[in-house]
Amino acid sequence: TLSGNCIRAGEVKMVYDALYDSTKLLGSSVAPPLEEPLIKEYDYQVFVSKSGKKINGSSSTLKICGLKADDPGLFYKYQKVAKDEYDKLEVPVAQTDESVFAFAKANLADGNLNTAKYALASTFDATLTEKHAKALTNAQIAEFTEDLEQAVFAPDVLKNHEIGDRVKVSEKISLLELIKILEENSNSIIINLKHLQENYQRKGLKRIEGKRDENGNLIKPWLKTEFLDGGEYVQMGSFAINQNTATINMLITRKAKLVKVEDETLIAEVAGILVTDLNTFNNYTIVSDGEVNIKSLRIKISSKPVFDLLKKCGVLEKDGSPVQEFDFRSEYDIKLETLPLVPFDGRYGSLDGVFEELAEIKILSSILSAHLKEESEAYTAEQLEELKQHYLSKSLYINFPTTTEYTDLKSAIANGSVDSRVSYKIDIGSKNILNFGKLHSANKFLDRLYEVYHKNTGEKLAKPTFDITLDESVVFAHKTLSSRTKITKVDDLMKLIFDEFLGLEDNGIVSATLAKVGADSWLRLLQAKWQGEDVKREEFVAALANANERLEAYAEKVYREKVSPLVFYIGSTGLIPDEMEAKAATAEEINSKYGNLQFSKDEQEGMFFEVGDCIISVYAKNEYFTVGK
């Protein structure tokens, strides 16, 4: 009813000053509220009072409260115009006018994040644009707000800012487009591995091979790997965009063999399987949270057409100069740090229905994985145990145990060997379930809502897990819930899928999902099993594994085509695609609209965007990393 000012108090004095100013205002002569209707030909209006410290905007009637009778103020009116009409106007090049900063501030308060950032960019204030272009979280937007207010209330600060004569838009190929070219032509490109390792900054905690005993002493594996490639050059890797951060990883695959640490003896065979030609995998983070992490890749090219393609893209250098002629003997540098991360005119499709589709696949895949934890369709339990003793998975991947370099995290932070950084998570969800992290694991949910009994004896299993069902003849029933068990929308969704999978109810979700990925033949085996028919264990496990592979491949395709590029765009630009027309909202605002959502501590400080039937969450999370020497 009275109006006030929101401050971000960095110290106690700011709190007292705010209390004093508010008390002084309330004790003085406050002017009646002002109401300013929006005239028809305008689309937006902003009120600015420097003495009253107010910037208020609206696309309709504007109500101004809390001014003193003698506080002067200005109304600014804004009109949308078509591009060709705008081009005819004699608009000054540098628009560092109070009205533009005020327009940005008012739109920021309205949740129009993109519009606020475009308005700031149009001032050509490079200092503020560079500082706030990627602002997405509460703390960043609060700081953005303060700087916009300062530009209006204390314009002298602009004298110290770098003011350009245009908005800089790079004409170079984007990094996102370049990695697609590199991956498609990876057979013709090799990377200087030593150069990559020397110039790489780790973004996570470094892990070393071995495990620690109860006293913290390091016990190293009894085997080690020897690489077959010599270690100077490796084949260009494959690239993957993270599913919920603006991160791109390059996966390098190398051939290796296992040898004994003690006497360098080659391990040629394990469990009746030849293991002299194994693959090892190493991920290198090319882009981390929207920032280029590897400045350049040093490569050799074996194909002239591939050389010509990269030369045309303008990304090849030799000794700091652009290259002209192809030489298969020469090393070239691909400069990544100078490239824009995403194409300026990129377009991103609708997210409608994507969360629900992925959630159903993830839940079903979790159930199948729980069956297969210690199972293989190819090897016996004895073989799997022998592979495990040699640090090999059932897929013949090398899995040495690893641990951190330090034994105590607090000590590592204190001595400077470990530091922390802020990582920005970007999740998709629905109006009932905020993100995939809210889903329970298959075994946890089985224990939460179901009871499992031996079919022959009727004896109840104390801690039921899905892998038991491969060897035991069991029946399932719904658990009688206590009054303390709160059923959520996550439970409702998972129960539909579990009920059908366990043969308690037929609602069509499982059958439709398996049919979608081409695994509906496995459903017939499942139905036969629940009807008491004799289903061979080996056949059932093989069908389980095949169905799970298809589910995971389908989910990966959906992420690759619809989710990951959007996540990368948001995280690297700080914008939501214009075509999505999404307003920013706090956790409190979005929860008041959709009351079923559950928020973690980090998510409560996030920013949320409603896009069709989907909610995009952006929130900060603290991550630890090993400091390079």
Side-chain angles (χ1 to χ4, degrees), residues 364-379 384 393-395 442-443 465-470 501 522 537-552:
L364 187 52
S365 178
S366 176
I367 296 172
L368 303 192
S369 297
H371 282 82
L372 294 165
K373 194 172 182 182
E374 301 292 338
E375 292 297 324
S376 168
E377 64 270 32
Y379 308 124
L384 291 175
S393 73
K394 59 187 177 184
S395 302
N443 283 332
T465 54
F466 276 107
D467 55 333
I468 293 173
T469 65
L470 295 175
F501 185 90
W522 179 76
R537 188 184 196 282
E538 295 78 10
E539 183 185 5
F540 192 70
V541 169
L544 267 171
N546 178 265
N548 201 34
E549 280 179 18
R550 290 172 179 268
L551 287 167
E552 290 177 348

Side-chain angles (χ1 to χ4, degrees), residues 512-564:
T513 303
L514 289 171
K516 185 189 298 181
V517 302
D520 44 345
S521 59
W522 179 76
L523 182 64
R524 289 191 285 276
L525 278 179
L526 179 66
Q527 290 168 338
K529 187 176 174 70
W530 296 148
Q531 288 165 10
E533 296 178 26
D534 185 28
V535 177
K536 290 182 180 178
R537 188 184 196 282
E538 295 78 10
E539 183 185 5
F540 192 70
V541 169
L544 267 171
N546 178 265
N548 201 34
E549 280 179 18
R550 290 172 179 268
L551 287 167
E552 290 177 348
Y554 188 92
E556 179 59 36
K557 182 173 181 286
V558 174
Y559 270 109
R560 189 171 60 249
E561 294 176 356
K562 296 184 178 181
V563 181
S564 294

Side-chain angles (χ1 to χ4, degrees), residues 252-518:
I252 298 290
T253 305
R254 300 174 70 186
K255 292 291 183 182
K257 58 185 178 180
L258 285 172
V259 297
K260 291 181 182 179
V261 172
E262 187 179 26
D263 57 9
E264 305 285 328
T265 305
L266 171 69
I267 302 293
E269 172 269 330
V270 177
I273 308 157
L274 284 176
V275 292
T276 51
D277 187 26
L278 300 170
N279 286 325
T280 65
F281 303 94
N282 285 99
N283 259 321
Y284 292 88
T285 302
I286 302 291
V287 178
S288 175
D289 284 305
E291 301 290 340
V292 174
N293 190 45
I294 297 177
K295 294 182 179 180
S296 66
L297 292 174
R298 188 159 291 173
I299 64 168
K300 279 188 175 183
I301 306 171
S302 61
S303 162
K304 188 174 185 302
V306 175
F307 169 84
D308 291 338
L309 176 60
L310 292 174
K311 178 187 169 185
K312 185 180 177 183
C313 293
V315 296
L316 291 182
E317 288 186 8
K318 184 180 178 183
D319 300 325
S321 302
V323 296
Q324 300 301 325
E325 300 298 327
F326 171 62
D327 181 1
F328 61 85
R329 300 180 186 86
S330 292
E331 287 188 328
Y332 304 108
D333 287 330
I334 298 180
K335 296 291 186 183
L336 303 178
E337 62 178 338
T338 61
L339 303 178
L341 293 179
V342 293
F344 185 71
D345 56 353
R347 289 290 179 268
Y348 302 87
S350 169
L351 286 175
D352 286 352
V354 172
F355 177 80
E356 285 75 10
E357 181 180 41
L358 281 174
E360 289 167 3
I361 289 172
K362 282 176 176 287
I363 293 166
L364 187 52
S365 178
S366 176
I367 296 172
L368 303 192
S369 297
H371 282 82
L372 294 165
K373 194 172 182 182
E374 301 292 338
E375 292 297 324
S376 168
E377 64 270 32
Y379 308 124
T380 65
E382 192 177 357
Q383 284 178 298
L384 291 175
E385 182 57 33
E386 189 167 334
L387 288 171
K388 190 176 179 182
Q389 295 301 320
H390 288 77
Y391 312 110
L392 292 169
S393 73
K394 59 187 177 184
S395 302
L396 301 185
Y397 294 147
I398 300 171
N399 283 331
F400 286 123
T402 61
T403 184
T404 52
E405 289 184 302
Y406 56 82
T407 54
D408 181 69
L409 179 59
K410 288 183 180 178
S411 299
I413 294 170
N415 66 33
S417 60
V418 169
D419 202 350
S420 63
R421 64 183 178 88
V422 175
S423 174
Y424 297 100
K425 306 298 181 188
I426 301 157
D427 284 324
I428 67 165
S430 69
K431 292 167 184 177
N432 287 318
I433 303 171
L434 196 59
N435 54 54
F436 297 115
K438 308 302 178 188
L439 301 176
H440 303 293
S441 70
N443 283 332
K444 182 181 176 182
F445 192 73
L446 181 67
D447 187 49
R448 176 174 166 80
L449 290 190
Y450 297 90
E451 291 176 341
V452 185
Y453 300 89
H454 285 289
K455 191 171 185 180
N456 298 327
T457 66
E459 181 187 351
K460 181 179 172 183
L461 296 180
K463 284 287 180 183
T465 54
F466 276 107
D467 55 333
I468 293 173
T469 65
L470 295 175
D471 299 303
E472 303 279 354
S473 185
V474 297
V475 292
F476 298 90
H478 291 125
K479 184 181 283 188
T480 303
L481 302 177
S482 71
S483 57
R484 290 180 297 174
T485 304
K486 183 182 177 184
I487 297 299
T488 67
K489 290 294 181 180
V490 172
D491 294 319
D492 290 341
L493 174 61
M494 294 189 71
K495 185 175 178 295
L496 286 173
I497 295 167
F498 272 63
D499 279 358
E500 184 176 353
F501 185 90
L502 300 174
L504 299 175
E505 195 174 307
D506 185 9
N507 50 52
I509 296 177
V510 172
S511 53
T513 303
L514 289 171
K516 185 189 298 181
V517 302

Side-chain angles (χ1 to χ4, degrees), residues 36 55 64 90 100 107 112-114 121 142 144 154 158 163 236 251 367 387 415-416 452 484 490 501 521 616 628:
E36 176 77 2
I55 303 173
I64 311 298
E90 293 184 7
V100 185
N107 273 279
N112 301 320
L113 190 58
N114 285 18
F144 187 8
L158 300 178
I163 308 294
M236 172 62 73
L251 183 68
I367 296 172
L387 288 171
N415 66 33
V452 185
R484 290 180 297 174
V490 172
F501 185 90
S521 59
I616 299 173

Side-chain angles (χ1 to χ4, degrees), residues 63-84:
K63 185 177 180 180
I64 311 298
C65 301
L67 290 174
K68 296 177 187 174
D70 56 351
D71 278 331
L74 284 170
F75 283 99
Y76 291 106
K77 312 281 184 176
Y78 306 85
Q79 185 182 29
K80 290 181 184 177
V81 293
K83 184 182 184 300
D84 56 350

